[in-house]
């Protein structure tokens, strides 16, 4: 999962370098320096986590699970995040600087990994957004004391509609839209229906191999989820795994 996986990160750069060498360009090794390619990949990953579309509109860039037309946060929170950020930058107290630090360092652990953005790899950034959104809302409500009640009620109504829209997308549309291994179908009927069949027949064979026609998902994850495997048991065995678990 590291960007330093050469055949993934450098494949285009190596191909372009070879083309330059074939054409007699003596600067090929300089132009397509692997360190520069790694730097650009890491920088691109870093800024992926600030993508407003991914955060507030549609998190379909997330690899394993998302709901169409819903970001990690509701769209109604955008003005409060911006207002909260303005307050933090303007005040610049010690606590404010600490919170702003979460914004800056949040994506750093994830910038050297493949497949960005992964929300769980940038948890500090998500924490920053939650804190800043709350600060912006409270500050906005306090600054318009004469309209505080209508403001809060209006926000609550819009927020409730956002939640209802998410639940509608999640329970009504997602099971129909995500129904193949090339998307998030593994969380719905595609894999959920086949796992009981595998479990019912596994004792008839020495080994059961469950894989995908396209290398996208990790089958073991879904068996662990639907079979309700005790996490303590998983953690005990996982210590001896060198790669993905071959069986469980």
């Amino acid at each position: 999962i590291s960007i330093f996986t050469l055949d993934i990160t450098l494949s285009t750069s190596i191909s372009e370098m070879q083309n330059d060498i074939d054409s007699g360009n003596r600067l090929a090794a300089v132009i397509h320096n692997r360190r520069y390619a790694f730097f650009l990949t890491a920088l691109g990953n870093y800024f992926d986590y600030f993508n407003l579309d991914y955060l507030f509109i549609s998190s379909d860039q997330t690899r394993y699970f998302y709901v169409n037309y819903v970001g990690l946060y509701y769209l109604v929170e955008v003005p409060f995040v911006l207002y909260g950020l303005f307050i933090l930058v303007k005040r610049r107290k010690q606590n404010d600087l600490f919170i702003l630090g979460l914004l800056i360092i949040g994506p750093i652990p994830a910038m050297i990994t493949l497949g960005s953005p992964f929300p769980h790899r940038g948890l500090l950034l998500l924490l920053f957004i939650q804190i800043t959104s709350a600060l912006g809302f409270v500050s906005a409500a306090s600054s318009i004391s004469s309209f505080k009640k209508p403001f809060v009620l209006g926000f609550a109504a819009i927020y409730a509609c956002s939640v209802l829209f998410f639940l509608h997308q999640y329970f009504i549309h997602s099971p129909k839209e995500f129904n193949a291994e090339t998307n998030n179908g593994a969380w719905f009927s595609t894999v959920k229906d086949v796992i009981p069949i595998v479990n019912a027949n596994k004792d008839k064979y020495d080994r059961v191999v469950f894989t995908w026609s396209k290398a996208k998902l990790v089958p073991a994850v879904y068996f662990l989820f639907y079979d309700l495997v005790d996490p303590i048991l998983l953690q005990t065995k996982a210590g001896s795994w060198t790669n993905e678990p071959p069986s469980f």
Side-chain angles (χ1 to χ4, degrees):
I1 61 173
S2 168
I3 63 170
F4 302 110
T5 305
L6 303 184
D7 59 337
I8 297 178
T9 305
L10 298 182
S11 58
T12 301
S13 180
I14 292 173
S15 175
E16 292 178 349
M17 179 187 293
Q18 188 59 51
N19 290 336
D20 285 347
I21 292 175
D22 293 341
S23 63
N25 189 337
R26 297 181 179 181
L27 297 178
V30 176
I31 298 173
H32 302 288
N33 187 291
R34 68 179 184 277
R35 297 170 186 82
Y36 184 59
F38 287 139
F39 171 75
L40 290 181
T41 301
L43 195 64
N45 287 347
Y46 181 86
F47 286 109
D48 279 344
Y49 287 85
F50 297 99
N51 187 320
L52 296 182
D53 180 36
Y54 151 76
L55 290 173
F56 297 104
I57 299 176
S58 181
S59 56
D60 55 5
Q61 296 181 48
T62 304
R63 181 178 179 184
Y64 287 117
F65 179 80
Y66 60 89
V67 174
N68 280 330
Y69 307 115
V70 179
L72 296 185
Y73 296 93
Y74 296 122
L75 189 59
V76 68
E77 296 180 71
V78 171
F80 301 112
V81 172
L82 296 177
Y83 186 49
L85 178 60
F86 170 77
I87 293 172
L88 292 174
V89 173
K90 183 179 180 180
R91 291 191 316 198
R92 293 193 297 276
K93 294 181 179 180
Q94 186 174 4
N95 291 339
D96 298 333
L97 295 177
F98 174 79
I99 297 173
L100 288 171
L102 298 178
L103 170 66
I104 297 171
I105 69 175
I108 290 179
M111 66 188 296
I112 60 171
T113 62
L114 296 172
S116 67
F118 263 103
H120 59 280
R121 295 177 186 168
L123 292 178
L124 292 180
L125 176 61
L126 303 186
L127 178 61
F128 165 82
I129 295 175
Q130 291 174 321
I131 294 174
T132 308
S133 177
L135 172 64
F137 174 77
V138 173
S139 300
S142 301
S143 63
I144 50 173
S145 55
S146 58
F147 299 99
K148 185 174 182 179
K149 186 174 181 179
F151 173 79
V152 173
L153 291 176
F155 172 78
I158 297 174
Y159 199 90
C161 290
S162 299
V163 173
L164 290 174
F165 178 74
F166 167 77
L167 295 175
H168 175 77
Q169 292 295 104
Y170 183 87
F171 288 107
I172 304 300
H173 294 293
S174 291
K176 299 176 182 178
E177 294 170 343
F178 302 136
N179 53 14
E181 66 181 80
T182 53
N183 51 42
N184 293 314
W187 288 116
F188 297 104
S189 60
T190 308
V191 175
K192 183 179 180 180
D193 293 343
V194 77
I195 287 179
I197 299 174
V198 173
N199 290 337
N201 293 276
K202 64 183 180 181
D203 293 334
K204 301 177 183 178
Y205 305 91
D206 295 330
R207 170 178 288 189
V208 175
V209 178
F210 191 97
T211 186
W212 307 92
S213 61
K214 296 183 179 180
K216 179 178 176 65
L217 305 174
V218 183
V221 173
Y222 305 100
F223 277 87
L224 295 171
F225 178 78
Y226 286 116
D227 285 344
L228 303 178
V229 175
D230 188 343
I232 296 178
L233 178 61
L234 171 63
Q235 292 167 6
T236 301
K237 288 197 171 188
S240 61
W241 293 338
T242 57
N243 198 354
E244 300 297 346
S247 61
F248 195 86

